[in-house]
Every structure is written in C-alpha cells, then in structure tokens.
Amino acid sequence: MLGADRPAGQGDDAVLGVVIPARDAAATLQWTVLSLLAQRGISVRVVVVDSESTDGTLRICESWNLPVLSVPPGNMYRAVNRGMTTFETPWLTYLNSDDLVYADGYSRLIHHGEAGGFDVVYGDVDFIDWQGRYLYSQATFRPGLATRLLVAGVMSFAQPAAIFRRDVFDRLRGFDERFRYIADHDFYSRAASAGFRFGKAPGPPVAAFRVHGGQLSTASKKALDVEKEQRRREGARGLLVTRIGLGLLWQMRNSANYWAGFKRRRA
C-alpha cells in the first residue's frame, strides 16, 4: 500500500517507510512510484518531500494520492530527514525520484534483516540509463569488508538497495545536513562505527540506479570530492591503506561489470 495514512501492523507483517525527495522529477517519478506499487510481500508507506517543483511532479503525486511535504530546495537530505519523521514504521529508507526497486527487492531486504537480526540491510544493484536500459551491475562485499570500506571513506553499496531500522535513524539523529552530496555515506559510516549490525541480502540485485548527467553526483563532482575529503578528515584519518587496498579489490571484483557498462554506453 502506498501512502502514509495506515497504522503500522495492519495488513502485511513487514512494514517499510519510504521517503522520495523530489524536485522537478516528473520525467521519472512515475516509474519510481510504480516500482513501489509493485512491491510484494510487504506493506510500503510512501511520502514525497518536494522542493518547489515547477513541472508535473505534484500532479503525479496527486494522481496516486501520495502525501506530499514541502521543504526549501538546497539540501536533499533535509527533505529525507523531514519525511522520515512522519513514519512510525520499524524499517525506513529513501529512494531517489529517478531510481527503481524490483518487485521482490524490499521484501528480500526486510526478511533478511528480520531473520538475521540486522540493523542495516543492503543488496546488489543494477545501473540503468535515462531510458531505463540496463548498463551493468555492481556486486557488493559481505558486511565485514563493506563496513570496513565505509569507515575508511568509501561508500560500499548503493543507497537504493539499502534499508535500516528506525532505531538506527533515531540514534544517529538522521542524516547530517552539513553534507549536500555524501550524507548517505556519512550515515552508514556512522552506523558501522556505532556497532550496528549490517547484513547483505543474497541473490540478484534488489534495485536499479539511474545514471544521467543531471544527478547531483555528476553535476557537482568537484563539490562532492570536497565533501568526501572533509568526511575522511573527520572519520577516516589513518585509514588510507585500508581505503586504497579494499577500494582496488572492490574495483577488481566489478571490473567485468564496469567494462560491460562502458561498452553499452559506447554502443
């Protein structure tokens, strides 16, 4: 069920709150909403947090009867934090307005988390182009290495393929709004440092990350690099060898996928 108006615990046993931060997202938002509508085996609550959209974003939300909150533009993570305060669900996540989750994706993540008693659960992810065509997949490490990468300063899985318990969000006081581009990495790094348990869902990718030139990480690479360096100074000092070593191992593991993506983009 979409929407944030049904009390947790009714219907499906597993309940997930999903925030969609949006600004002028009409070109892709419908795809994102449909992927959430298709989720099987769990109850999904959705709230869209809009930042002064001037296209058809709000009309799409109205057509699906989605609750909408408004925050000023300037920081996506402010929108994410605002949306998450509206949920009373045991599990939380956010999904960018241009990404997709496969029909069994969130169910697999939640059930793996419940079965293993994990606090943060993630899976593998596919990368797609603007038209939704498959580019390549990204295989992530198991939690032991993934959390070491996080603490060392490398985001070791993709946000669309991750969920976390409400207690994680509450104890970490949400996403750090000092960051405009890497607050997701900072959040999971702080979760790893705080001792929260991470689990990786087995099986195929759980979500799809859309690659295009308008993304924050693409359009503002210089600012993103500045934030990465700031995060490393604060939390990853002295871990350069770990970051380089595990980073190279991670790239080697995904070399075939990256090469496949390069060939598809050149085609």
Side-chain angles (χ1 to χ4, degrees):
M1 175 181 178
L2 295 180
D5 56 351
R6 192 169 105 189
Q10 295 184 12
D12 297 314
D13 291 335
V15 189
L16 173 70
V18 182
V19 177
I20 303 177
R23 188 183 188 196
D24 292 336
T28 56
L29 179 59
Q30 189 95 331
W31 292 21
T32 300
V33 172
L34 286 171
S35 79
L36 293 175
L37 188 66
Q39 293 302 298
R40 304 173 189 152
I42 63 170
S43 180
V44 178
R45 318 289 167 73
V46 179
V47 62
V48 176
V49 186
D50 181 72
S51 295
E52 300 181 4
S53 290
T54 58
D55 61 356
T57 296
L58 296 180
R59 289 194 297 273
I60 292 173
C61 295
E62 183 179 3
S63 70
W64 289 105
N65 195 31
L66 292 175
V68 178
L69 303 174
S70 297
V71 299
N75 190 320
M76 180 186 75
Y77 299 103
R78 183 188 307 128
V80 172
N81 283 337
R82 176 69 181 89
M84 289 192 176
T85 62
T86 69
F87 292 123
E88 296 182 358
T89 57
W91 291 93
L92 297 169
T93 194
Y94 78 87
L95 185 65
N96 292 322
S97 57
D98 53 3
D99 295 333
L100 309 172
V101 180
Y102 298 132
D104 65 346
Y106 282 150
S107 175
R108 286 168 51 208
L109 292 176
I110 287 182
H111 291 155
H112 187 68
E114 295 289 0
F118 300 117
D119 304 301
V120 178
V121 190
Y122 62 93
D124 291 339
V125 68
D126 289 332
F127 286 76
I128 59 176
D129 68 11
W130 179 252
Q131 303 299 332
R133 288 182 288 260
Y134 171 83
L135 293 174
Y136 60 94
S137 298
Q138 183 187 83
T140 59
F141 282 140
R142 292 292 181 182
L145 291 179
T147 53
R148 287 177 64 188
L149 263 179
L150 283 170
V151 174
V154 178
M155 182 65 174
S156 53
F157 50 81
Q159 166 57 40
I163 64 172
F164 46 89
R165 293 186 188 270
R166 162 166 293 283
D167 183 53
V168 179
F169 181 80
D170 291 342
R171 286 176 55 187
L172 296 181
R173 298 183 180 181
F175 293 82
D176 190 336
E177 297 174 18
R178 293 179 303 155
F179 300 114
R180 291 184 60 197
Y181 305 100
I182 65 160
D184 51 352
H185 168 231
D186 170 75
F187 178 84
Y188 293 113
S189 179
R190 287 188 288 128
S193 297
F196 287 107
R197 296 189 63 205
F198 283 63
K200 180 186 176 183
V206 299
F209 182 91
R210 194 183 303 271
V211 179
H212 59 89
Q215 291 166 311
L216 284 176
S217 57
T218 302
S220 306
K221 186 179 186 305
K222 184 176 181 180
L224 184 147
D225 289 341
V226 169
E227 289 196 359
K228 284 183 178 179
E229 182 57 32
Q230 177 185 348
R231 180 66 185 81
R232 287 166 183 167
R233 287 198 307 268
E234 294 178 0
R237 188 174 300 166
L239 296 175
L240 178 62
V241 173
T242 300
R243 181 164 66 249
I244 293 176
L246 288 179
L248 287 173
L249 183 61
W250 187 45
Q251 291 176 12
M252 290 173 59
R253 179 175 183 181
N254 284 284
S255 59
N257 293 325
Y258 294 148
W259 175 242
F262 174 76
K263 291 193 296 184
R264 285 178 180 273
R265 285 193 292 268
R266 291 289 299 272

